[in-house]
Structures are given as structure tokens and as C-alpha cells.
């Protein structure tokens, strides 16, 4: 169906009509209508329309000037609506339904209750009493708080004889401050509260103080005054994108970034410059903030305004703008390339892979700068820490053989979490918390009830960091529906149980690992989280892994000064538990020690553990079963790890360069202090290790290949000291995602 015509309107009228002005009931459902199909000039002729059915279409919003002065009943079920404020143009509306619009939340319900004074029924429910409370009681409370905030903090700042510039300055400061500090009601309604507070504050300044308001702030301040949690779509990011040119010749770098040996400083950046790095294609570089890892930050985190609600029972109501696709830049001519280089844009040169007997034939696809602080293209300090590929849903909806191999990855660093399509380099969605540093992300799939009673599987993303709070994000709905105040200190890493989809482990700087049941949210996103276990550690847990053969029984953790294992069986009454085993490894003097930092930990298969410890260039492969079985009965026993092999790696003394595995392909990946990725193909070794008599390899196993960092220049300066904090492949080893210390996400693809 293209656009709505006069003939269509007359035909879909109930009953059919010969003139538009006579139509009172109109059914435009199931026509695949988009917002652009609603022509205000045509609809303005429907002067006496009282009932309108727009259900089962593709509307994402309403035009602001439909001019339906007599509209009383509106049905918008099963669309893609993202905002309801345009409905205020229908002041006589009495009945409204917009169920199954996944982007609308409880906050939108409250907005329409306030905006539509005659509304009686919302989604089939009588909201008369609640609406009166929202319009009167809630408004009185907020007005009182807004007035008090002015009197206490801003009244004395405005002189009686003030200039226009002074008034403008005070106005902006007040609007920003009042939205941040005036809180009323549950945190699930925080978006609605900020929306009303801004409205009340503008009216207060305009009418009480005679300050004329133009409610449209400058773009920068709109960003600053946004709620603490917000999201950006790729289209918004594209406005800040700079061109990145791929050149055939190497270039030296001058842009040096220092790095501490303990915890590296992180910067939160929000400029999106999408850099598609391909030797043959020009590309864009995307800037955005990236969360840091659990290390000390040189920049103290800004304190967030506390949100109300009981621990583990919040429903937040932060909503993402719907993701849109970024366009890849077109091929540049040589003249354009040289011109852009002169203008100081980013350019890079791929470096051939070195070392190793095997050529994996991986080529760089994209370099993305999508975690920048303040959307700054100058941000090459924000550190990126964690990335996880999105699991596939069993819906069978994806038929593309490439897409079916999971090419969407969640990355975190600084104040933001991004969802990236690895093939196109598009930042699909972005979630930001201005006062947070995200250190870890994890996926789970929950079977949730939808409004008509049916159940559907949805992927949920958990993100956590410096504030000790876990954010729960319903990705398909672009909606952060809740949070769990899990710890009082930063959370270093999180992971979900592979067998119990609601069980989430959080490892914190408080030297504890907590197991949470996050619950399943209902159709209104109400949920209740509960703490099931607390595991006590000797030092800060940096990496955690559930034992593949018994994920409901044992958890292994690499910590600042040890490697520990706990029993996590829920049939025991003891909620707070000490560790069951502490593992000792070879030290530099040839002896065995339990005191060492384990900053990398993962299972290669059901039994083989890969761990990276503080000894220079030391990555061990060892047997979980043969090591743990030697423990025997009892608690807190010291056991020697049964070493199967050692991997040849960098001799750096830099900590927190973590490793990962691809069990399906038998690969281990680990980055180094030079931006390189060491790849080990161990599929030929695992059969020998599975034998109970398998002995330790005498020689270190070299990498199959080392992917070297391409030459990358930003505004004429060369980036240097690029540390690879994390590197992760998808389950089929099609894509390799590399997270760095310089706010660059590199995506490689295996040919």
C-alpha cells in the first residue's frame, strides 16, 4: 500500500461514505501504513471523525498536525510507536489503546494521562482515578518541589536588575539542576518525572518570574540535561562521524597515550566515528564513550543522583531511541583521499600478520570509535573492557546464512554500552549512563509473557561497572527495564548460568561473588530480583567461569592474588560460602605458589582451563578434573593445578590483558601491549590432553598466527601504546572483536 487517498478513506469508512466530512468512523488497520502515509492535508478534511482504527500498521509516531478536532476513540495497537506526546493534538480523546507497541513504556502511560484531560480508558482499563491523581496530586507535589529548589539554590543568583544573558544563564542552570535533583515517585517513572519537572520549571520561570523561555536548549545542553541513562541511535551518531581513509602506505604514530600498570584510566566518550578498516574500502570512524575495566581510574566517577526503590525490585523506564542503520561511506578517489588526509582525518594501513606456521586469513573490517566521552573525536583514552556476542533466538526468523551465525556483539567501556553489527560496522544501539563506568556485559534469553498472554523469547543484556549496579536491558525494545544494586563497590565482571537463564553471577571489588535470580519481567516490566548466594574471596575476583560439565555445582575465579573454586549447589543451606579449593601454579623459581594474579580465565573445552597469571608471558592450560579431584573432601584445600601445556606469549609485565576461547574451533585468543592478537589453534592437542595419562608438553606452544595492529593516524598524529584489553570471537570464529585502551574497537573477519 502506498499512500492514503480520498478513495481509500471513503471506502474504509464505517459505513462507507461519499464525502470525507461526513465520516465518523474509519478503519485503516492492516494496511502497512507508515507515518509518512498520514497526510495532514487529507486528514484535516475529516472534521467529524470520532473513531479511528490504525492498528496493525508500521507507525513510529504521529504527525503533529492531523487536525481531527472531534476524535474520541483511537486504536493504535501493534505498531512501532516510540512517542505519545503528539497525541495531545486530540484533546477530546476518551478511549485510547496502544498495546503491543514495544517501545512504549509505563512512562508513556503517565504522559498521555496528563496530556489528555478527557481520557477515561487506556488499553481497556478505566484510568479515571489514577489520571486525576497524576494531573492534580502529582503535579502539586512536583510544583512544590520545583519552587523549593528555586528558592533554595537559585533565587539569590538572579539579581533584581538582570541582563538577558544573566537570565539565560540562570535558566539553563536551573532547568538542568531541577531535572537532576527533583525526585518523586518510583524509579520506574523517572522519565515521566523528569519530563513533568522540566515542563513545570519552564512554566514557573515564564509566569512567576517573567523570564521568557524558549524551551529548545542548545544541542549540547540537551545532551547534558538528559536523564542519567539514555541511548543514541546510529543516525544521531552519524552527525558526528568523521571520514576515515585507508591508505596503502604505513605511517608513523606520534599520538602517545600513557598507561598505568595497575588500573588504567578510562575516559567516557560519546562521539561516534565509525571506522570501517578495510585495505580496499574507505570507511568511517565512530566515537562514543567506553567503560573501563576494574582498575583504578585517574578520573573520579561523577556521583549519580540516587534513584528510589527497593533493592532488586526497580523498574526503570529508560528507553532507547530505535536503532537505525549507518551508511557506509562510498569509495573515495585518490584525490579525495589525499584531501582528507590533509584535513587531519583518521587513516590506517593494515600490517601483514606475522609469526606462526598457519595463516588464518583474517582481514580487518572496521575500526570503530563508538565509546567516546562527550562524542569527542579527540578521545583516544577511553578504555574498552568487555564484549559478548548476542545469542541467537530459536525463532527461525533469520534466514540469512551469514546473520544466522550471530554477528551482533555488545561492547562496553566508559559510560556506554554499544551493540554493533560486525559485518556492516553499524552501531545498532547505544546505551549511556553519564555517571557510570561499564566494565562487563553478559547475555541471557528469557521467555517473557506479552500482553495477550502468549510467551516469547527475548534476549536480555546485563551491564555493570563502577557503581556496583547491574542494568537490565531488553534490547529488542531499546529499554532498560530495571537495575539491581548488587554491590557497594565496583563490579569487575558478570556472567549468566548456561542452564538457569535467570541466574546471574556478579564479581565485585568487595571481594565477593554474588549469585542473583533476576526473575522474569511481566508485560509491564515488573520484576523482582533476589540474592541466592555470596561467595567469599581472598582478593578481588577479576574473571569467573562456570565449570562446563557441572555449571550448577562449581564456579572458578581468577583473582588479584589467587585462583579459587567454590561449590554453588543451591541444595545447601549455607548462603555465605568460603572457597573450597585454592590452586597453586609454578613460580619463577621453579617451585609452586598460590599467590599470583590471574587476570585471564576461560574453559577451552569441558575440562581444559586456560589461565593467564602474573608470571611474565605465562598462559597455562590445565585440567580442571584432574586438579580438583585431587582435592579430596574438605574445604579450603590447596591443590596443584595439573598443567597440560604453556603457551608462548608476550614478555610484557602489563596486567589485565585478558584472554578468551572459541571451544567449537579449539582456539585461544589473547592480545598484547602492542595492539597485536595472538591466536592459538589447539584442536590438534586436545585429544592427547583428554587422556588421563596425558603429560605436560615440554615446549611452549607457539601461536598459529599473530594479527598485528594496522598503522592508524588521527588528525596527522600516530596512535601508539595500543593495549588489547580483550579479544573475543563469535562461536563459529567468523568475526574477531578486539577492544583496546585507546577507545578503538577493531573487527576482523576470517576469510
Amino acid at each position: 500500500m502506498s499512500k492514503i487517498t480520498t478513495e481509500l478513506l471513503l471506502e474504509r469508512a464505517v459505513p462507507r461514505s461519499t464525502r470525507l466530512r461526513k465520516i465518523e468512523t474509519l478503519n485503516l488497520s492492516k494496511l502497512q501504513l507508515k507515518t509518512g502515509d498520514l497526510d495532514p492535508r487529507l486528514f484535516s478534511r475529516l472534521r467529524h471523525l470520532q473513531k479511528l482504527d490504525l492498528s496493525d500498521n508500521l507507525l513510529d509516531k504521529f504527525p503533529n498536525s492531523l487536525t481531527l478536532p472531534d476524535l474520541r476513540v483511537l486504536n493504535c495497537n501493534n505498531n512501532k510507536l516510540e512517542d505519545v506526546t503528539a497525541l495531545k493534538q486530540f484533546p477530546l480523546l476518551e478511549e485510547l489503546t496502544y498495546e503491543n507497541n514495544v517501545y512504549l513504556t509505563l512512562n508513556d502511560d503517565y504522559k498521555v494521562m496528563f496530556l489528555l484531560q478527557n481520557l477515561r480508558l487506556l488499553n481497556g482499563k478505566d484510568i479515571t482515578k489514577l489520571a486525576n491523581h497524576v494531573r492534580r496530586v502529582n503535579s502539586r507535589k512536583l510544583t512544590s518541589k520545583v519552587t523549593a529548589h528555586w528558592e533554595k539554590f537559585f533565587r539569590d543568583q538572579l539579581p533584581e536588575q538582570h541582563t538577558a544573558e544573566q537570565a539565560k544563564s540562570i535558566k539553563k542552570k536551573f532547568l538542568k539542576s531541577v531535572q537532576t535533583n527533583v525526585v518523586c515517585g518510583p524509579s520506574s517513572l523517572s522519565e515521566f518525572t523528569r519530563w513533568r519537572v522540566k515542563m513545570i520549571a519552564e512554566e514557573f520561570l515564564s509566569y512567576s518570574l517573567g523570564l521568557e523561555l524558549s524551551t529548545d536548549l542548545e544541542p549540547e545542553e540537551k545532551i547534558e540535561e538528559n536523564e542519567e541513562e539514555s541511548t543514541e541511535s546510529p543516525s544521531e551518531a552519524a552527525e558526528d562521524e568523521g571520514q576515515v581513509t585507508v591508505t596503502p602506505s604505513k605511517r608513523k604514530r606520534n599520538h602517545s597515550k600513557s598507561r598505568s600498570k595497575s588500573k588504567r584510566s578510562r575516559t567516557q566518550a560519546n562521539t561516534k566515528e565509525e571506522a570501517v578498516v578495510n585495505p580496499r574500502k574507505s570507511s568511517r570512524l565512530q566515537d562514543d564513550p567506553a567503560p573501563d575495566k576494574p582498575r583504578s581510574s585517574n578520573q573520579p566517577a561523577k556521583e549519580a543522583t540516587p534513584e528510589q526503590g527497593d533493592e532488586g525490585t526497580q523498574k526503570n523506564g529508560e528507553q532507547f531511541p530505535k536503532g537505525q542503520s549507518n551508511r557506509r561511506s562510498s569509495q573515495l578517489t585518490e584525490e579525495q583521499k589525499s584531501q582528507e588526509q590533509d584535513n587531519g582525518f583518521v587513516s590506517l594501513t593494515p600490517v601483514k600478520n606475522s609469526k606462526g606456521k598457519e595463516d588464518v586469513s583474517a582481514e580487518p573490517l572496521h575500526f570503530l570509535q563508538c565509546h567516546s566521552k562527550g562524542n569527542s573525536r579527540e578521545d583516544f583514552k577511553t578504555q574498552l573492557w568487555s564484549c559478548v556476542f548476542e545469542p541467537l533466538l530459536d525463532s527461525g526468523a533469520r534466514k540469512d546464512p551469514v546473520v544466522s551465525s550471530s554477528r551482533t556483539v555488545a561492547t562496553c567501556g566508559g559510560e556506554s554500552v554499544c551493540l554493533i553489527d560486525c559485518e556492516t560496522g553499524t552501531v545498532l544501539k547505544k546505551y549511556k549512563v553519564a555517571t557510570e563506568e561499564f566494565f562487563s556485559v553478559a547475555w541471557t534469553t528469557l521467555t517473557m509473557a506479552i500482553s495477550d498472554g502468549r510467551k516469547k523469547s527475548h534476549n536480555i543484556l546485563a551491564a555493570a561497572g563502577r557503581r556496583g549496579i547491574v542494568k537490565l536491558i531488553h534490547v529488542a525494545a531499546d529499554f532498560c527495564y530495571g537495575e539491581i544494586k548488587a554491590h557497594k563497590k565496583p563490579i569487575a565482571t558478570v556472567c549468566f548460568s548456561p542452564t538457569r537463564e535467570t541466574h546471574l553471577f556478579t564479581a565485585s571489588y568487595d571481594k565477593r561473588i554474588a549469585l542473583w535470580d533476576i526473575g522474569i519481567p511481566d508485560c509491564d516490566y515488573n520484576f523482582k530480583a533476589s540474592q541466592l548466594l555470596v561467595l567469599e574471596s581472598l582478593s578481588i575476583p577479576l574473571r569467573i567461569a562456570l565449570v562446563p560439565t557441572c555449571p550448577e555445582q562449581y564456579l572458578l575465579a581468577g583473582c588479584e592474588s589467587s585462583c579459587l573454586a567454590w561449590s554453588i549447589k543451591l541444595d545447601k543451606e549455607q548462603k555465605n560460602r568460603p572457597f573450597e579449593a585454592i590452586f597453586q601454579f609454578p613460580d619463577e623459581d621453579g617451585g609452586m605458589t598460590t599467590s599470583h594474579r590471574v587476570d585471564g580465565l576461560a574453559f577451552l573445552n569441558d575440562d581444559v582451563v586456560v589461565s593467564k597469571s602474573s608470571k611474565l608471558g605465562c598462559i597455562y592450560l590445565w585440567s580442571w578434573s584432574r586438579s580438583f579431584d585431587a582435592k579430596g573432601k574438605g574445604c579450603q584445600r590447596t591443590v596443584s593445578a595439573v598443567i597440560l601445556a604453556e603457551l608462548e606469549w608476550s614478555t610484557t609485565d602489563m596486567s589485565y590483558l585478558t584472554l578468551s576461547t572459541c571451544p567449537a574451533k579449539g582456539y585461544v585468543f589473547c592480545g598484547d601491549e602492542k595492539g597485536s592478537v595472538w591466536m592459538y589453534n589447539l584442536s590438534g592437542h586436545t585429544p592427547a590432553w583428554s587422556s588421563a595419562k596425558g603429560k605436560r608438553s615440554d615446549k611452549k606452544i607457539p601461536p598459529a598466527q599473530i594479527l598485528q595492529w594496522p598503522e592508524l593516524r588521527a588528525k596527522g598524529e600516530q596512535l601508539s601504546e595500543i593495549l588489547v584489553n580483550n579479544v573475543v570471537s563469535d562461536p563459529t570464529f567468523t568475526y574477531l572483536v578486539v577492544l583496546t585502551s585507546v577507545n578503538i574497537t577493531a573487527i576482523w573477519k576470517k576469510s
Side-chain angles (χ1 to χ4, degrees):
M1 190 71 202
S2 55
K3 291 188 177 181
I4 298 175
T5 62
T6 301
E7 292 74 19
L8 176 68
L9 294 179
L10 295 174
E11 181 183 343
R12 304 280 294 201
V14 183
R16 290 191 181 184
S17 178
T18 57
R19 294 190 178 183
L20 293 180
R21 66 183 182 184
K22 291 185 177 182
I23 298 176
E24 294 185 357
T25 302
L26 184 60
N27 183 357
L28 296 178
S29 64
K30 300 180 181 178
L31 294 177
Q32 300 293 303
L33 297 178
K34 297 183 179 179
T35 299
D37 295 325
L38 304 182
D39 185 356
R41 292 175 297 178
L42 193 56
F43 272 76
S44 65
R45 298 165 61 187
L46 299 169
R47 300 174 186 174
H48 299 292
L49 184 65
Q50 295 188 17
K51 296 182 180 180
L52 177 59
D53 187 351
L54 289 169
S55 61
D56 299 294
N57 283 298
L58 303 173
L59 305 176
D60 56 4
K61 62 180 179 179
F62 276 95
N64 287 320
S65 53
L66 283 185
T67 318
L68 300 173
D70 205 26
L71 189 64
R72 309 298 174 97
V73 179
L74 178 60
N75 183 352
C76 304
N77 288 344
N78 299 306
N79 277 277
K80 297 182 177 181
L81 294 177
E82 301 175 7
D83 183 65
V84 295
T85 53
L87 294 175
K88 66 183 178 182
Q89 65 185 298
F90 311 128
L92 299 183
L93 207 59
E94 298 176 357
E95 299 180 20
L96 172 64
T97 54
Y98 49 58
E99 294 181 308
N100 293 328
N101 282 270
V102 71
Y103 303 111
L104 298 184
T105 70
L106 182 64
N107 291 275
D108 296 294
D109 294 349
Y110 275 69
K111 287 180 183 180
V112 296
M113 281 186 251
F114 174 78
L115 292 171
L116 301 173
Q117 300 291 313
N118 292 315
L119 194 65
R120 296 182 296 103
L121 295 177
L122 178 60
N123 294 329
K125 298 179 181 178
D126 188 338
I127 49 93
T128 306
K129 290 184 178 179
L130 178 58
N132 286 334
H133 180 86
V134 171
R135 296 167 193 151
R136 294 178 177 82
V137 179
N138 180 268
S139 293
R140 281 200 301 268
K141 288 182 179 178
L142 290 177
T143 301
S144 175
K145 291 191 175 189
V146 168
T147 305
H149 191 75
W150 170 267
E151 295 291 334
K152 184 174 181 180
F153 298 106
F154 288 90
R155 181 179 180 180
D156 295 337
Q157 296 185 35
L158 186 66
E160 289 187 13
Q161 301 296 325
H162 55 264
T163 65
E165 284 301 316
Q166 287 175 320
K168 182 180 178 181
S169 175
I170 290 294
K171 173 187 66 178
K172 291 178 180 178
K173 291 179 182 178
F174 176 61
L175 288 177
K176 179 180 177 181
S177 175
V178 76
Q179 289 179 82
T180 303
N181 296 293
V182 171
V183 179
C184 182
S187 60
S188 58
L189 293 175
S190 57
E191 181 193 338
F192 167 75
T193 300
R194 280 190 286 270
W195 177 77
R196 279 293 291 133
V197 164
K198 181 182 179 183
M199 190 181 300
I200 292 169
E202 289 171 343
E203 293 172 354
F204 171 78
L205 292 177
S206 179
Y207 299 118
S208 299
L209 303 175
L211 293 184
E212 228 179 276
L213 281 183
S214 125
T215 56
D216 295 323
L217 300 182
E218 296 171 9
E220 256 183 276
E221 292 173 359
K222 281 187 176 178
I223 291 173
E224 291 177 0
E225 74 165 23
N226 272 348
E227 58 179 327
E228 153 187 319
E229 294 153 57
S230 64
T231 56
E232 297 178 8
S233 66
S235 59
E236 292 169 328
E239 296 176 3
D240 292 322
E241 288 177 9
Q243 206 70 25
V244 176
T245 311
V246 180
T247 59
S249 59
K250 282 189 181 182
R251 302 191 177 178
K252 297 181 180 180
R253 301 181 181 174
N254 304 321
H255 195 78
S256 176
K257 298 296 175 185
S258 62
R259 166 123 167 184
S260 65
K261 291 185 181 180
S262 57
K263 297 179 184 180
R264 307 170 220 145
S265 63
R266 115 188 185 317
T267 40
Q268 314 163 352
N270 300 337
T271 348
K272 301 180 179 179
E273 292 183 17
E274 176 189 12
V276 182
V277 177
N278 186 309
R280 296 177 298 278
K281 297 180 182 178
S282 64
S283 39
R284 292 179 179 175
L285 180 66
Q286 183 158 1
D287 278 341
D288 280 351
D292 297 19
K293 199 174 186 172
R295 300 172 205 173
S296 62
S297 170
N298 290 345
Q299 297 180 358
K302 181 181 176 182
E303 281 298 318
T305 304
E307 296 179 3
Q308 294 182 348
D310 294 333
E311 178 174 339
T313 60
Q314 294 96 348
K315 182 167 78 80
N316 277 348
E318 290 86 13
Q319 188 165 3
F320 295 72
K322 183 182 173 186
Q324 302 174 15
S325 296
N326 282 338
R327 297 179 181 176
R328 302 176 81 175
S329 56
S330 58
Q331 192 77 10
L332 299 181
T333 64
E334 290 303 317
E335 183 179 354
Q336 288 172 317
K337 287 181 181 180
S338 61
Q339 181 180 358
E340 291 206 349
Q341 291 164 16
D342 293 339
N343 289 339
F345 288 104
V346 178
S347 63
L348 57 93
T349 304
V351 176
K352 287 187 177 181
N353 305 322
S354 67
K355 197 169 184 176
K357 305 173 183 178
E358 180 182 341
D359 184 6
V360 182
S361 299
E363 75 170 13
L365 279 185
H366 313 287
F367 282 54
L368 309 177
Q369 191 177 2
C370 54
H371 288 270
S372 302
K373 182 177 182 180
N375 288 334
S376 169
R377 299 179 189 179
E378 309 295 327
D379 178 12
F380 294 98
K381 296 180 181 178
T382 291
Q383 302 220 37
L384 312 184
W385 297 113
S386 176
C387 61
V388 188
F389 277 84
E390 181 178 10
L392 293 176
L393 296 173
D394 298 328
S395 60
R398 293 180 174 177
K399 298 181 180 180
D400 183 346
V402 176
V403 177
S404 65
S405 62
S406 183
R407 68 188 200 187
T408 302
V409 67
T411 62
C412 75
E415 63 188 6
S416 62
V417 175
C418 293
L419 264 68
I420 301 170
D421 184 323
C422 290
E423 181 64 26
T424 65
T426 300
V427 180
L428 303 172
K429 304 174 191 289
K430 182 179 176 184
Y431 175 64
K432 285 169 45 181
V433 180
T435 56
E436 181 62 282
E437 291 183 77
F438 286 108
F439 295 154
S440 185
V441 286
W443 290 99
T444 190
T445 303
L446 300 183
T447 303
M448 301 165 57
I450 54 182
S451 57
D452 58 0
R454 293 182 294 113
K455 292 187 176 181
K456 187 176 180 181
S457 294
H458 291 280
N459 284 333
I460 302 298
L461 184 67
R466 186 168 296 280
R467 294 174 62 196
I469 296 174
V470 179
K471 297 291 183 181
L472 300 173
I473 304 169
H474 183 188
V475 173
D478 297 338
F479 184 56
C480 177
Y481 69 84
E483 65 178 32
I484 301 171
K485 296 178 180 177
H487 301 269
K488 293 183 179 180
K489 290 190 176 183
I491 295 174
T493 186
V494 298
C495 79
F496 279 99
S497 166
T499 55
R500 299 194 180 186
E501 68 275 11
T502 62
H503 285 194
L504 174 69
F505 291 88
T506 58
S508 171
Y509 277 36
D510 61 11
K511 301 180 184 179
R512 292 181 176 89
I513 301 171
L515 170 59
W516 300 86
D517 187 334
I518 66 170
I520 297 179
D522 61 20
C523 58
D524 292 322
Y525 289 105
N526 297 305
F527 76 105
K528 181 164 183 165
S530 57
Q531 190 183 79
L532 305 178
L533 286 177
V534 176
L535 310 177
E536 305 287 347
S537 175
L538 296 176
S539 58
I540 297 172
L542 302 174
R543 295 283 174 259
I544 56 179
L546 294 163
V547 179
T549 55
C550 46
E552 296 182 13
Q553 297 184 40
Y554 293 104
L555 179 139
L556 187 64
C559 307
E560 275 286 354
S561 64
S562 57
C563 183
L564 306 172
W566 290 264
S567 168
I568 55 172
K569 297 177 184 177
L570 294 177
D571 55 359
K572 296 182 179 181
E573 294 183 1
Q574 187 180 10
K575 184 176 179 180
N576 285 59
R577 299 181 186 176
F579 62 87
E580 281 204 4
I582 180 170
F583 296 91
Q584 56 182 2
F585 293 83
D587 60 19
E588 295 180 346
D589 300 325
M592 300 292 284
T593 179
T594 59
S595 180
H596 59 152
R597 175 184 293 128
V598 178
D599 55 8
L601 183 75
F603 275 86
L604 179 62
N605 56 29
D606 287 349
D607 182 59
V608 177
V609 184
V610 187
S611 64
K612 185 167 78 72
S613 61
S614 57
K615 183 179 178 181
L616 298 184
C618 180
I619 300 177
Y620 285 122
L621 292 96
W622 50 285
S623 169
W624 157 262
S625 60
R626 291 159 65 184
S627 304
F628 193 71
D629 289 348
K631 178 183 77 72
K633 296 182 180 180
C635 189
Q636 295 190 352
R637 295 287 300 274
T638 299
V639 295
S640 296
V642 178
I643 307 295
L644 303 173
E646 185 176 350
L647 301 182
E648 179 184 325
W649 188 64
S650 169
T651 56
T652 179
D653 60 355
M654 185 67 64
S655 298
Y656 311 115
L657 306 178
T658 194
L659 57 78
S660 70
T661 61
C662 180
K665 301 297 182 180
Y667 266 84
V668 174
F669 309 98
C670 191
D672 66 14
E673 79 287 3
K674 298 178 181 178
S676 300
V677 176
W678 298 56
M679 304 194 300
Y680 307 84
N681 185 354
L682 304 178
S683 56
H685 297 270
T686 50
W689 294 336
S690 62
S691 169
K693 297 181 181 180
K695 296 182 180 180
R696 175 177 176 177
S697 303
D698 294 331
K699 297 182 179 179
K700 291 184 179 181
I701 300 176
Q705 190 173 359
I706 298 178
L707 299 179
Q708 293 188 354
W709 185 260
E711 296 293 345
L712 192 64
R713 297 174 66 87
K715 292 193 174 182
E717 293 186 345
Q718 187 172 355
L719 293 177
S720 62
E721 293 191 29
I722 297 170
L723 307 172
V724 175
N725 291 335
N726 203 344
V727 52
V728 174
S729 79
D730 67 299
T732 61
F733 190 16
T734 303
Y735 302 100
L736 199 64
V737 179
V738 181
L739 303 183
T740 70
S741 62
V742 293
N743 190 27
I744 299 292
T745 301
I747 300 176
W748 297 69
K749 185 175 182 180
K750 184 179 176 184
S751 302

